[in-house]
Amino acid sequence: MLRPWAAHWVMFALVCRVVAQYSSDLCSWRGSGLSHETHRRDVEQVYLRCSQGSLEWLYPTGAIIINLRPNTEPSSGRMADVHACIKPQTFSQGSHVYLEHRGDLRLLLSDKDQAQGEVRCFNMKEGALFVEAIPQTDISRKITAFQYELVPSQGPGAHMYPYLRQGSVTCKPCSDQEVLMAVCTSDFAGSGIFREVMPGTNQHLVVVVTLHRLFHQKSGLFVWGGARGRAWSGRVNVPAPCIVHPGEHEYLLIGSVHFGEAWLSCAPRYKDFLRMYVEAVNAGTNPCHIDTN
């Protein structure tokens, strides 16, 4: 039987031998700074090749470079049209996160910023993530952890995601073509009403919605109210400059999911959508079939 102090050192030795590893789909990475030899000066390179995933760096020491890559054929033009967004876990600490481009570093998230869990985005052409541990004597409780997503810079509703373009969110309506394409390709689409506007942040509002029709959704964000309710309910994030009128009209609500939250992209009145959809069906230009009955 091991004495308590001996058990502690056995556990410490096991942690030191933790080998950095990728998830089976290469979307996430988990490693330990204790496995890095202190005399080595090289920086470990991490490659994540998915549209979303996570990173967890236990007991950070030294530095790592995180290369985010779309899981499609790479091209310089395509990379310029994609933003990478990261969201730190609120317990994340022990390092600063920079953007590294040709040897130059630009601070993206300080150690203290990470506790707020706020999203930071950057254009992929701006470089890779350089995560540098803060030198300290006690690293036993330090973990740097965040989620990431790759977000197209263009397309329906891209102008409505406030973290892509700080201070430049616009509430211009989507065009008919954008609506018809978005209702087919978005993360969620349904018709319903705005119920209540709740406090959010200085960048966005949180709006409670009720959907009478749900064409499709991702991640189960909208919950069925049962036989008595006969509707789905949920919450969507709306940029703060946009005006929401609860309960007045029925809208087609289309949007995307970022870090487990629904973000509104387009919201034409449902009767206007029916008109443009019927016209597209008659002209044979509708991108997909939607059951509007």
Side-chain angles (χ1 to χ4, degrees):
M1 181 176 179
L2 292 175
R3 296 178 182 273
W5 62 268
H8 171 79
W9 284 108
V10 168
M11 182 61 68
F12 182 80
L14 290 174
V15 171
C16 284
R17 289 199 295 270
V18 169
V19 178
Q21 57 184 351
Y22 291 88
S23 60
S24 59
D25 55 9
L26 302 180
C27 296
S28 301
W29 180 88
R30 187 174 189 265
S32 169
L34 296 179
S35 63
H36 189 83
E37 298 176 20
T38 56
H39 66 276
R40 294 178 59 185
R41 294 181 176 273
D42 60 310
V43 178
E44 183 169 3
Q45 299 272 348
V46 176
Y47 293 89
L48 298 173
R49 304 182 183 278
C50 296
S51 58
Q52 60 183 24
S54 63
L55 177 137
E56 191 174 57
W57 192 24
L58 285 69
Y59 321 114
T61 59
I64 57 176
I65 292 180
I66 304 163
N67 300 276
L68 302 177
R69 295 289 185 271
N71 53 359
T72 55
E73 189 68 26
S75 67
S76 58
R78 188 178 184 86
M79 294 286 283
D81 292 335
V82 177
H83 275 69
C85 298
I86 64 173
K87 182 177 183 179
Q89 303 287 358
T90 54
F91 58 79
S92 182
Q93 57 180 321
S95 65
H96 298 309
V97 181
Y98 299 87
L99 274 179
E100 188 277 331
H101 183 64
R102 298 180 180 178
D104 294 328
L105 297 178
R106 176 167 67 87
L107 183 64
L108 188 67
L109 272 171
S110 70
D111 177 55
K112 293 182 179 179
D113 289 338
Q114 296 174 46
Q116 301 173 18
E118 291 190 359
V119 176
R120 294 287 191 276
C121 297
F122 59 95
N123 195 295
M124 293 283 286
K125 66 182 180 182
E126 294 182 72
L129 291 172
F130 184 90
V131 185
E132 184 178 36
I134 301 173
Q136 49 199 317
T137 55
D138 180 15
I139 61 172
S140 61
R141 297 182 180 181
K142 307 297 183 183
I143 299 176
T144 295
F146 59 79
Q147 300 170 277
Y148 74 88
E149 289 186 353
L150 303 186
V151 183
S153 306
Q154 305 295 328
H159 62 284
M160 296 276 279
Y161 190 46
Y163 300 109
L164 290 185
R165 300 170 180 83
Q166 297 290 338
S168 61
V169 172
T170 59
C171 291
K172 67 179 182 67
C174 298
S175 66
D176 289 3
Q177 290 182 336
E178 287 176 329
V179 170
L180 290 171
M181 182 58 68
V183 77
C184 301
T185 60
S186 61
D187 292 336
F188 67 88
S191 65
I193 61 174
F194 298 113
R195 282 289 184 191
E196 179 185 2
V197 179
M198 303 179 65
T201 69
N202 59 348
Q203 290 189 311
H204 69 272
L205 306 172
V206 179
V207 183
V208 179
V209 300
T210 297
L211 301 179
H212 303 115
R213 302 173 187 82
L214 183 60
F215 301 130
H216 60 84
Q217 69 166 324
K218 176 182 177 181
S219 305
L221 294 172
F222 301 97
V223 181
W224 174 248
R228 184 174 299 178
R230 294 182 180 275
W232 289 263
S233 62
R235 298 181 179 184
V236 297
N237 292 318
V238 180
C242 301
I243 299 175
V244 175
H245 301 286
E248 289 191 8
H249 301 283
E250 184 176 16
Y251 294 89
L252 175 68
L253 304 180
I254 309 171
S256 56
V257 177
H258 298 293
F259 301 111
E261 297 181 336
W263 287 84
L264 191 66
S265 298
C266 303
R269 291 189 184 182
Y270 189 61
K271 64 178 183 179
D272 294 333
F273 164 70
L274 290 178
R275 172 192 53 76
M276 69 178 75
Y277 179 72
V278 169
E279 290 176 355
V281 170
N282 292 336
T285 57
N286 54 309
C288 67
H289 172 73
I290 297 294
D291 185 4
T292 57
N293 295 324

